[in-house]
Structures are given as structure tokens and as C-alpha cells.
Amino acid sequence: MDSTQLTTLTGVIDKKMNRQLKQYLDICARCAICKDACHQYVGTGDFKYLPARRAELIRQIYKKYFTKTGEFVPALYEARDPDENLLDELYDSTYACTGCRRCMYYCPFSIDTAWILSVAKAILIAAGKGNEMLGQLADAAIFKGDNAEMFNDVMVSGFEDIQEEVRAITGNPNSQVPVNKEGADILYVALAGAHSIRPAAVIFEEAGENWTISMFEAANYGFFYGDVEKARLITKRYIDEAKRLGVKEIVVPECGHAYRVAEFFYEAWSKEPMPFKISHILEKVDQYIKSGRITVDKGLIEGKVTYHDPCQLGRNGGKFEEPRDIVKAVTDNFVDLTPNRAEQWCCGGGGGIVAMEEFKDVRLASGIKKVEQLKASGATVLACPCENCRLQIEELNEVHELGLQVWQVIDLVVAAMPLKGTKPTHV
Amino acid sequence: MSDETKIDLELDLKGLLCPLPMVKVSQNIGKVEVGGVIRAIATDPGAMADIPAWAKSTGNEVLQAEKVGGEFVFLVKRVK
Amino acid sequence: METYLWITSVWGIYLTAVVFFGGMAWRIYQWATTPKSPVRLGMFPKPKSGAGRFGKLLADTFIAPQSAKIEPTMWIFAMAFHVAALGAFVGHLRLIREFPLLPAWLGEAGMNTFAAWSGSIAGTLMLVGVLFWIARRTFGPYKNLSVPEDYLLLFLLLGVIVMGDHMRFVYGGVVHAATYREWFVSLLTFKPEIPAELLASNVGVSLGTHMLFTDLLLMYFPFSKLVHAIGAFSSNLVRSE
């Protein structure tokens, strides 16, 4: 391969090098215990989706260019150049990975394959092989951030429509969807879709919260794409807005990676301490219910209800109990999936894979464990606080004819609230 | 204007939640020739910002973005 | 024979000690001087206290309960190997000095019997562990994951173990710890000699070959994946960051 390209790609590894990455690359014993942890390898049996294999491709480059033994005896490690063959396999195994880190959970050395693959994404982007769709989605979000005034009118008009819907649900003509309200306590950073705003607004308003919404959504396709600078810019849009509005707390919506990005990644990207408390909306809702700020009735939700831990919120975010407590507050008919919490199977829809049509077959095949779990639970309603999980599970629901209703947790809460208005139809 | 524009591809994006309408437009833009036009109908209000922002950042053109009843109708022209 | 032993079991050991300790120091220095990941890479559930983190680190590193849950067979073999290797290591400390207390309790004959039993069990478990790994690598559906390094290490380990077992099972009743100690202590005091009793017995070939494989394994150790022996502590600690 040509030397300029080679210098560029090995330079990416050099720039991204840190202690954890180095140790992960040095110590993996290729014991393959991770094979049974990965929903994609289990679902497809395809070697390239074995977690240790995904990481091995980066290790092969690392061995050749960053270790003496690999430089002198490359054959010992199958060390090689990041040529087209390697990059093609790397593209598949990296962008298909949902970043669930279930392999890390079971690894005897806790090797974070997703962290190694963040370097893989940087290499692919430097080689001009970043995923186009994720890149476009990231660019569109950055464009929206740079040209907010261009979209102001349509968005405000959209929020007004949602406000009407909220009033119809609460039966209270004074219910608000406050937009860019200075001095609010909470900035709710929703997803772009109305479904993410409407039930949250009902709950905030009924709880008497001093909250506001802004122009910017929480989804971060720069994170999935693997470009740290794009990812930082996308999150910075709402951090800056929160500073301008003077809020105390940022609340992220039912979206897995949004919470992880805000709570765990943004400080490292921006190199400054996070000036706000970051909460997940279900932490707030759980508090509202427990403190009596909102009322929920049991018996309004029909059927057996189960709960799926989104990987980024559960294993990688630590929010296992709040969502379960909420679901148990709205129904007595709750059954957990097996396994659950930290051992929960990834549904197969994370990491931006639902937006990448080329991985559709892998994605659906990788959902087989989730399908088995859902069938075994006997549940008819699934509560799931992650957009990507819901999209995936709804598709699995159709393909496997599970007859399941897939709900946001906040939709369940609104359905269980004794409100004067009309019950919303479940989205 | 929409009366005169030749539509090369119709996309029904009703019921899809953001950012999927933008994703679907992006996935399908390659199916029309350069200069061709997609008509997409979405129901999620977020699309009113998402699809134009996508078009601007990818160098395509939104000829029309209108709210018609409860639906949002887009005419997107492939520029490159 | 004498030359073979001088190469593998005297000068070879000195060279190995330099390469092994120097290599490990270099490895640790490299890890220590590379900046930490800016992102906290921990996962949940995560202990809140420092003591809790330390406890989890020890449990994850020495027992690997999650690995046990997902692949019990592999865990049992790996555990058996590592525990047996630790036992063998402790047993080899008799090369430096006789254990305190034990010989007094057991008597000389009793001590030899104890060493024979414990050494045989450890040697057998390690052999079984390595054979299992070789089979798993060679016949598993994910066999393409393995690289030559994996087989080289298993080959060296197999050599160490087979020759060690040979000494244990064939010469265990002939040459006892005191004779080997004479040789090993002479190395430690930099007055190397090979005891006449070793040369007189036929154990020399086994010892020399056992040491040849050990020298090669330990010299390669710091540059191989075997550095997980120390790296695992650090990477498992990151889990609860």
C-alpha cells in the first residue's frame, strides 16, 4: 500500500493511543470467551463478528507498527498493513458492532472491544471509508446547530402543535411546552420526533416542573460515525444552549447513547468539566412518582409487561432500577427478561446500525436472542427506553410475529396517569 | 410548483419517527438520477428541520417543505 | 551432557533472568508512561467504595466469575491450569530453601511423598489444561482467531510441562529437592556449579530440556500476550472506573 496512506493510518493509532488501548492490544489471549457474549456472533456464526476478531484487526496493525517483535517477526502475530482487505473486513465488523460491551462484561480481562473499535472507526474515516449514512446524519445535525435561525420557525410551529396535543391529553388549557425559556431549572434535550417530547411534556407539566425545551436534539450520529470532533460539536449545541438559558440540570430522553455521551464522553471530548447535572428522564420520573409529584394508577395498562435494558443505559450507564421501579408502579403484572440488567442481551439495534441498510440482515439475525427472551417472558407489552432498541424490536416483532406492543416508558406512565383529557393513542 | 414538477420516486414515511424520515430520504436519493426528484410524505414534525438540514449538508436541494393537514410533504431534488 | 546443562541451566538462566525482568520492566514502564484514556471506560454494576473496587478487582482477576458463567468448561480448565501453575511455582520455591514447618511435621520420607503427590497433581492438571487449549484452538469453529503466537506459547508450555512431569514421574524417587537446590542456590549466589549427583543420574537430559523450554518461554513472556499476568489487574480495575 502507498506510504502516505500508511503513515496516515498508523498516525491515527498513534494519536489515539492511551494506556487502556495499549493494554487491551497487548493482553488479549484470544481465548474467545467473548464469542458467546456477542449477539451478532451468536446470531450469525460469522467469524468476523467474533469480538476478539474485530479487535484483532487493529492488533495486527499495532503489532506491525508499534511493537518490536511484530516488526521483526510479523508472521508470529499475523501482523500486517492496513490494506484494502483489512479495511474492508474492518468496515463490516466495526460499523456492525452495536457497542453494547457485553463482551467486555464476560471477558476475564474486561477488554473493551468497543473502545478498540473507536480507533477502528477513526482509521476508517481517515481512509475515506467512514460510513456514509452516519456521516451524513452527523453533518445534518451540525448544520442544524450552525444555522439554528433557519429552522426556528418550523420548529417553533412544531412545538406549538405538540403543545396542543399535550393540552388535549392533560385536559388543562394551561399546559405548556416552553421553548428556550431562560431561568428554567431543567433543559429537556429530546429527540427530534414529537413522540419524545409529548409524553415528557405531559409529565413535566403535571409534576409542576420548571422546564424548557430547545432547538437541539440529543441523538448524536457523530458518536456512531466515530468522529470525535463531529460528536463534540453535536453535543456542544445543547450544552451551549443550557449555559445560555442558565438551567441547573440537563435531562436526556429515552435514548441510550444520549445518556452515555452526556454523562461519560462529553467531558473528555470538550476537555472541560460538565457544568450541569446530567439526568436521564426516567430518573426524574421515578422521583416524581416516589415523591408523589405525579400520580399513576395501576390497572390502566393491560397485559403482562416486561422491560428491556438498553445497553447504553443499563450495563454502560448504570440505570437498572429506576426504569423497573417506574414500570412496577404502573402495573402489578411485571415479568423480567432472563437474563437481565448487566447480563441483558443486546437487542441488536444499537450503534447506529438501524440507520445502515447494508447491515439489515446481520441486524435481524442478531436479534434472535432477544426474540427468544421475549417469547420466554410471555409478555404482551414491552417497555424500552431507547429509540434504537425500539426500532429494532418493533421490526423483530413484525418478522417473528411476537404480537408485542413496544412502548416508551414515559408513554406507559402517561397512559397510567389519571388525567382529565383524552388518552393518547400509543405510538 | 409541485404541480409541474416531475416526481421520480414517491416515499411514504408516515409513522416513521425522526431521524428515520431523513435516513430513508438519504438511502433513496441514489435511486433517482441527478436532477431527479423524490416526493416524501412524513408525519413527524421533526422532519421539517431534519430533511432540509440533511439536504443542505449533503448538497442536495429541498424544492418544497410544506405542512398539509397533519402531514409534511417534501420535494427533494438530487443535485449530485 | 555437562555442556548442555551449562548452556540451558546455567548461562541460559542468567540470560533469561535479564531478558525476563528487563522485558517486564520495559512493558510496565510503557504502560505507565502512556496517558490514561480520557473517557471513563467503566461498566455497571460498579462498586461505590475504594474497598469495593479493590475487592471486585481481586474477584474479577483471580476468579473471573462472569467468564465462569458464560463458558464453564473453559473456565474449569483455565482455572485448573492457573491454580496448578501457582502450585507448581510454590513447589519450585523449594529450590531456594526447604519449606518451614512442613518437613518437621511430615518427616523426610513424608515430605518426599507430599512433594510427589502435589507435584504430580499440579503437573497433570497443567498438562491437561494445555492439551485442552491446543484442542480448543485447533478444532473450535473460531480456530481462525488463533495466530502462530498462540501455538508457539502452547508448544513452549507443553515442553516445559512434559519435561517437568518427566522429572517428577520418572526421576521423582531418584533425585530429590536437596540436589536441585544445591544447583539452584549456586546460581543465585553467582557461583554456578552442577552437582555431581545430577550428572551421575540420567535426569540431566530432562532437566536441561525442561530448562531450555523454560528459558525460551520466559524470554518471550514479556513480548507476548502472557503479559496478561500483570495487565489483567489494570484492565480489570478500569472496569469499575
Side-chain angles (χ1 to χ4, degrees):
Chain A
M1 64 183 302
D2 87 85
S3 66
T4 327
Q5 166 102 333
L6 182 64
T7 315
T8 309
L9 301 190
T10 53
V12 171
I13 299 184
D14 196 35
K15 190 157 164 277
K16 289 260 172 187
M17 188 54 74
N18 54 64
R19 187 183 307 159
Q20 280 65 41
L21 177 69
K22 202 171 186 58
Q23 288 192 324
Y24 295 154
L25 294 174
D26 283 336
I27 70 177
C28 175
R30 285 174 291 270
C31 72
I33 278 179
C34 49
K35 68 187 188 305
D36 301 319
C38 178
H39 59 290
Q40 273 178 0
Y41 182 68
V42 170
T44 63
D46 189 335
F47 176 59
K48 70 179 169 217
Y49 298 130
L50 200 157
R53 172 62 186 181
R54 303 187 209 236
E56 191 65 18
L57 295 173
I58 298 299
R59 187 170 295 109
Q60 290 173 339
I61 311 171
Y62 166 80
K63 283 288 181 187
K64 181 154 179 184
Y65 291 100
F66 295 85
T67 70
K68 287 282 172 239
T69 40
E71 191 184 327
F72 291 129
V73 203
L76 202 50
Y77 306 97
E78 295 180 1
R80 56 179 173 146
D81 285 337
D83 57 15
E84 292 298 308
N85 283 336
L86 185 142
L87 292 176
D88 285 348
E89 187 188 335
L90 192 66
Y91 176 89
D92 281 351
S93 62
T94 298
Y95 278 111
C97 174
T98 56
C100 73
R101 302 206 302 169
R102 202 167 183 267
C103 48
M104 175 178 177
Y105 180 82
Y106 288 103
C107 173
F109 311 147
S110 308
I111 291 175
D112 185 350
T113 311
W115 186 242
I116 301 175
L117 294 188
S118 69
V119 180
K121 287 183 178 179
I123 290 175
L124 288 164
I125 291 168
K129 288 174 184 287
N131 179 275
E132 210 182 330
M133 175 60 66
L134 298 180
Q136 284 183 10
L137 290 169
D139 288 341
I142 293 169
F143 185 87
K144 262 205 283 189
D146 291 343
N147 302 277
E149 71 293 342
M150 185 187 290
F151 303 106
N152 195 65
D153 292 350
V154 287
M155 292 194 68
V156 167
S157 134
F159 293 144
E160 282 167 359
D161 291 348
I162 295 171
Q163 181 168 279
E164 288 310 311
E165 295 169 11
V166 170
R167 288 175 179 172
I169 296 167
T170 59
N172 178 355
N174 296 320
S175 294
Q176 304 283 323
V177 176
V179 181
N180 293 334
K181 178 179 161 191
E182 287 182 34
D185 292 333
I186 284 176
L187 172 64
Y188 176 55
V189 186
L191 297 174
H195 66 293
S196 169
I197 304 168
R198 193 187 313 112
V202 170
I203 293 168
F204 283 138
E205 287 295 293
E206 290 298 303
E209 191 62 81
N210 180 17
W211 72 292
T212 184
I213 197 164
S214 78
M215 296 293 149
F216 304 114
E217 77 279 1
N220 193 326
Y221 280 89
F223 176 64
F224 291 151
Y225 181 56
D227 184 321
V228 169
E229 183 55 17
K230 284 193 200 314
R232 183 184 72 84
L233 287 172
I234 291 169
T235 300
K236 185 174 184 290
R237 300 176 311 163
Y238 69 72
I239 299 288
D240 286 351
E241 202 64 357
K243 285 179 186 164
R244 188 177 71 79
L245 298 173
V247 302
K248 301 187 185 100
E249 186 174 356
I250 288 175
V251 175
V252 293
E254 295 202 11
C255 165
H257 75 285
Y259 178 70
R260 186 139 179 257
V261 159
E263 178 70 18
F264 295 97
F265 280 85
Y266 187 71
E267 282 194 341
W269 292 342
S270 65
K271 300 185 176 67
E272 60 181 42
M274 173 64 73
F276 309 101
K277 181 173 190 273
I278 302 290
S279 299
H280 190 268
I281 184 153
L282 296 185
E283 288 178 82
K284 304 304 291 181
V285 174
D286 186 40
Q287 288 162 12
Y288 295 153
I289 293 175
K290 285 175 180 164
S291 63
R293 280 177 74 175
I294 61 169
T295 313
V296 285
D297 287 346
K298 286 183 180 173
L300 294 175
I301 310 289
E302 284 172 23
K304 192 188 265 189
V305 185
T306 190
Y307 174 75
H308 162 74
D309 298 272
C311 301
Q312 304 303 357
L313 193 61
R315 191 182 307 111
N316 299 328
K319 302 281 170 276
F320 296 119
E321 303 311 324
E322 296 89 338
R324 280 185 174 72
D325 287 354
I326 295 171
V327 175
K328 288 176 192 165
V330 304
T331 180
D332 281 327
N333 197 359
F334 174 76
V335 60
D336 225 323
L337 296 175
T338 310
N340 54 54
R341 294 180 172 82
E343 295 175 0
Q344 185 72 261
W345 276 102
C346 174
C347 67
I353 195 172
V354 286
M356 296 180 276
E357 196 67 12
E358 61 205 282
F359 293 118
K360 187 178 176 188
D361 293 344
V362 183
R363 172 165 63 78
L364 289 176
S366 75
I368 190 66
K369 280 288 163 190
K370 187 52 60 190
V371 170
E372 287 170 13
Q373 277 184 293
L374 289 167
K375 278 184 179 166
S377 75
T380 52
V381 175
L382 171 74
C384 174
C386 169
E387 188 84 2
N388 283 332
C389 297
R390 280 196 305 277
L391 289 168
Q392 162 80 346
I393 294 173
E394 272 167 3
E395 203 167 336
L396 294 172
N397 191 23
E398 265 174 47
V399 174
H400 295 270
E401 297 175 350
L402 302 175
L404 203 65
Q405 293 180 47
V406 183
W407 292 61
Q408 296 186 95
V409 179
I410 48 176
D411 276 328
L412 271 187
V413 171
V414 170
M417 288 167 77
L419 298 167
K420 291 195 289 287
T422 49
K423 282 286 161 205
T425 46
H426 157 240
V427 189
Chain B
M1 179 168 87
S2 63
D3 296 337
E4 303 147 22
T5 312
K6 178 174 166 287
I7 307 298
D8 299 283
L9 185 66
E10 295 272 358
L11 286 181
D12 178 3
L13 310 175
K14 293 193 274 273
L16 290 182
L17 309 177
C18 280
L20 282 190
M22 164 169 60
V23 171
K24 293 291 173 193
V25 171
S26 179
Q27 279 168 355
N28 285 287
I29 195 80
K31 292 182 186 164
V32 300
E33 299 289 318
V34 172
V37 173
I38 291 181
R39 173 155 65 195
I41 302 175
T43 46
D44 194 318
M48 285 297 276
D50 274 5
I51 290 178
W54 166 85
K56 288 282 183 189
S57 63
T58 54
N60 291 295
E61 194 182 344
V62 172
L63 303 175
Q64 179 197 309
E66 263 184 16
K67 187 176 173 190
V68 183
E71 295 174 351
F72 304 92
V73 182
F74 300 88
L75 293 182
V76 183
K77 182 177 168 188
R78 181 175 172 193
V79 176
K80 56 181 189 181
Chain C
M1 178 50 52
E2 201 173 343
T3 318
Y4 184 51
L5 281 175
W6 275 96
I7 292 171
T8 60
S9 312
V10 176
W11 303 118
I13 291 179
Y14 284 134
L15 177 64
T16 300
V18 171
V19 174
F20 176 79
F21 289 110
M24 290 309 266
W26 169 243
R27 174 71 56 202
I28 292 168
Y29 173 79
Q30 274 195 325
W31 284 342
T33 51
T34 308
K36 276 197 70 181
S37 146
V39 178
R40 283 176 293 153
L41 298 176
M43 65 177 4
F44 295 86
K46 191 187 278 185
K48 289 194 176 64
S49 68
R53 280 187 71 187
F54 187 67
K56 182 161 171 55
L57 165 66
L58 294 182
D60 285 346
T61 309
F62 289 110
I63 303 172
Q66 292 85 3
S67 310
K69 205 163 176 181
I70 199 164
E71 202 185 343
T73 318
M74 171 65 173
W75 184 87
I76 287 166
F77 279 98
M79 208 63 190
F81 175 87
H82 283 94
V83 170
L86 180 66
F89 177 77
V90 171
H92 279 73
L93 291 178
R94 286 180 84 204
L95 288 172
I96 299 172
R97 56 175 294 186
E98 181 58 281
F99 291 150
L101 306 175
L102 266 181
W105 292 343
L106 302 170
E108 195 184 331
M111 187 64 203
N112 283 336
T113 313
F114 173 75
W117 273 100
S118 53
S120 303
I121 292 170
T124 308
L125 287 178
M126 287 175 75
L127 182 62
V128 169
V130 167
L131 291 176
F132 171 76
W133 282 338
I134 292 172
R136 192 170 175 277
R137 265 195 199 290
T138 313
F139 303 112
Y142 38 84
K143 60 172 180 280
N144 290 337
L145 184 64
S146 301
V147 304
E149 177 195 12
D150 302 322
Y151 293 106
L152 175 65
L153 288 169
L154 286 169
F155 171 73
L156 292 175
L157 263 177
L158 190 65
V160 171
I161 296 165
V162 165
M163 294 323 291
D165 283 352
H166 190 249
M167 289 160 72
R168 178 76 263 162
F169 291 120
V170 178
Y171 293 100
V174 181
V175 184
H176 292 295
T179 313
Y180 294 118
R181 190 181 308 129
E182 206 179 311
W183 154 69
F184 199 73
V185 169
S186 80
L187 293 181
L188 291 179
T189 51
F190 298 104
K191 292 171 199 153
E193 57 171 308
I194 295 167
E197 204 181 329
L198 273 183
L199 289 171
S201 77
N202 284 326
V203 80
V205 183
S206 311
L207 175 66
T209 312
H210 179 62
M211 289 319 300
L212 175 66
F213 278 111
T214 307
D215 292 344
L216 293 174
L217 180 71
L218 290 184
M219 279 195 278
Y220 182 39
F221 196 111
F223 312 101
S224 74
K225 64 178 189 177
L226 297 186
V227 291
H228 70 247
I230 44 172
F233 291 93
S234 168
S235 66
N236 278 327
L237 189 62
V238 169
R239 188 189 181 108
S240 42
E241 248 174 17

